């Protein structure tokens, strides 16, 4: 199926759990076998952030990142993201997104300062979310997908620079020719 990249270069609304969603139009037709998502986002205090991938039609969806480091009513991890150091979300990563930033300090940047640039999705109790990208397997690839980003606390802000949706599809089955 291939990859589709969008470059919204748009701010994530501060302290707005509804966030903002960006359409990713996929025209290639196929049956999904695997998905990964690459993001270039700049944001201070990553523990504010929720990232979701939403299938065409609004369902199903996957919370790839859900306020890493946050427990109970806590504030989450205080490290930062930089669009100069893109992050890959993939089921194949051994690092869950919930652990993002847990080895660096407030002034440091994920991927740049810890070398951890690939994460598996961590819905972390997000109601209704799939548990990983494998939940999209078997769906049709074509349609308007959405990447959604939300900031759930005051003061720290950021921007979605780009998002790449990488789709792997099953080879189409040949239709028998009548004789």
């Amino acid at each position: 199926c291939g990859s589709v990249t969008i470059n919204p270069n748009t701010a994530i609304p501060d302290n707005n759990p509804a966030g903002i969603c960006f359409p990713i139009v996929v025209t290639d037709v196929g049956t999904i076998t695997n998905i990964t998502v690459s993001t270039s986002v700049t944001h201070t205090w990553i523990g504010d952030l929720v990232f979701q991938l939403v299938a065409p039609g609004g369902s199903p969806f996957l919370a790839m990142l859900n306020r890493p480091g946050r427990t109970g009513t806590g504030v989450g991890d205080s490290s930062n993201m930089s669009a100069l150091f893109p992050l890959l979300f993939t089921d194949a990563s051994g690092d869950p997104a919930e652990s993002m930033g847990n080895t660096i300090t407030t002034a440091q940047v994920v991927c740049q300062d810890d070398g951890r640039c690939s994460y598996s999705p961590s819905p972390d109790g997000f109601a209704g979310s799939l548990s990983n990208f494998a939940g999209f397997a078997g769906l049709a690839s074509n349609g308007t997908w959405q990447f959604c980003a939300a900031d759930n606390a005051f003061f720290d802000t950021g921007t979605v620079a780009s998002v790449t949706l990488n789709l792997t599809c099953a080879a189409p089955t040949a239709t028998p020719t009548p004789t």
Side-chain angles (χ1 to χ4, degrees), residues 1-4 24-35 53-57 136-146 165-172:
C1 284
S3 298
V4 177
I24 304 172
V25 178
V26 175
T27 56
D28 291 340
V29 177
T31 301
I32 294 170
T33 59
N34 190 36
I35 294 179
L53 178 64
V54 183
F136 292 114
L139 295 180
S141 59
N142 59 309
T144 302
W145 293 77
Q146 293 183 77
L165 176 62
N166 303 295
L167 300 169
T168 305
C169 293

Side-chain angles (χ1 to χ4, degrees), residues 27 33 37 47 50 53 58 71 77 84 89 107 110 113 130 133 156 170 172-173 177 179:
T27 56
T33 59
V37 174
V50 175
L53 178 64
T71 56
D77 190 88
L84 298 176
F89 292 89
V110 172
D113 293 312
L130 296 171
F133 289 113
D156 292 279
T173 54
T177 306
T179 55

Side-chain angles (χ1 to χ4, degrees), residues 4-166:
V4 177
T5 299
I6 59 168
N7 299 291
N9 291 313
T10 301
I12 301 166
D14 190 33
N15 193 35
N16 181 344
I20 188 168
C21 294
F22 304 99
I24 304 172
V25 178
V26 175
T27 56
D28 291 340
V29 177
T31 301
I32 294 170
T33 59
N34 190 36
I35 294 179
T36 65
V37 174
S38 299
T39 61
S40 291
V41 174
T42 297
H43 200 285
T44 53
W45 207 286
I46 63 170
D48 290 359
L49 293 174
V50 175
F51 292 167
Q52 295 179 50
L53 178 64
V54 183
S59 181
F61 75 93
L62 171 62
M64 301 181 306
L65 178 73
N66 186 10
R67 303 193 70 187
R70 182 173 191 258
T71 56
T73 58
V75 293
D77 190 88
S78 63
S79 58
N80 307 301
M81 282 184 190
S82 169
L84 298 176
F85 295 88
L87 300 178
L88 174 66
F89 292 89
T90 173
D91 288 346
S93 176
D95 282 326
E98 176 61 26
S99 70
M100 188 180 291
N102 69 354
T103 62
I104 57 178
T105 67
T106 300
Q108 292 182 305
V109 175
V110 172
C111 183
Q112 175 184 355
D113 293 312
D114 61 8
R116 294 168 61 199
C117 305
S118 176
Y119 293 91
S120 59
S122 290
D124 194 31
F126 200 101
S129 175
L130 296 171
S131 59
N132 55 34
F133 289 113
F136 292 114
L139 295 180
S141 59
N142 59 309
T144 302
W145 293 77
Q146 293 183 77
F147 174 80
C148 302
D151 174 314
N152 290 355
F154 278 117
F155 304 119
D156 292 279
T157 59
T159 300
V160 176
S162 69
V163 177
T164 300
L165 176 62
N166 303 295

